[in-house]
Amino acid sequence: MITATPFLAAAADAELEDWGPLDEATGAPMQTSGTTLWTGEGDQEAGVWECTAGPSRWSLETNEVVHIVSGRMTVTPDGGGPADIGPGDVAVFPRGWTGTWQIHETIRKVYVIF
């Protein structure tokens, strides 16, 4: 079943729900919150996500496209160099991507997982 929220979110100030601590955190606990705007078949999803500062490690089982609304982070793929991303930047993380995210300040992103 495909569902969609019947509104368009203003991503910068969308009201977010507490999603708990980030499982991928590798240092002190990091708090996440978000709202799901759309779910599709399987793991397909789009929404707004926010996370407090800290280091984390990722190994993606899906593709993800993100648009950074606020905050900054440094993304470092395994075997590659770091890239700083911040407000207005778009990043694509293909299925199988592994590496680290160092979130420097609370980050808010619009995401699409497929």
Side-chain angles (χ1 to χ4, degrees):
M1 174 185 208
I2 297 175
T3 61
T5 303
F7 64 91
L8 299 175
D13 50 357
E15 189 172 326
L16 306 180
E17 303 168 357
D18 180 356
W19 284 3
L22 182 67
D23 292 338
E24 292 82 2
T26 56
M30 299 164 68
Q31 182 61 38
T32 66
S33 54
T35 187
T36 302
L37 301 174
W38 171 82
T39 57
E41 297 176 9
D43 292 333
Q44 297 174 338
E45 182 177 297
V48 180
W49 181 82
E50 190 171 272
C51 186
T52 58
S56 56
R57 174 136 187 90
W58 298 83
S59 181
L60 299 183
E61 297 178 6
T62 60
N63 298 297
E64 183 175 8
V65 175
V66 302
H67 176 264
I68 306 302
V69 176
S70 61
R72 297 197 171 276
M73 69 179 176
T74 301
V75 176
T76 307
D78 289 348
D84 292 328
I85 60 176
D89 290 338
V90 174
V92 176
F93 300 95
R95 180 178 306 136
W97 188 93
T98 58
T100 60
W101 291 8
Q102 175 63 53
I103 299 175
H104 304 295
E105 60 191 58
T106 297
I107 199 155
R108 182 176 282 219
K109 67 179 183 179
V110 173
Y111 69 89
V112 178
I113 295 171
F114 59 100

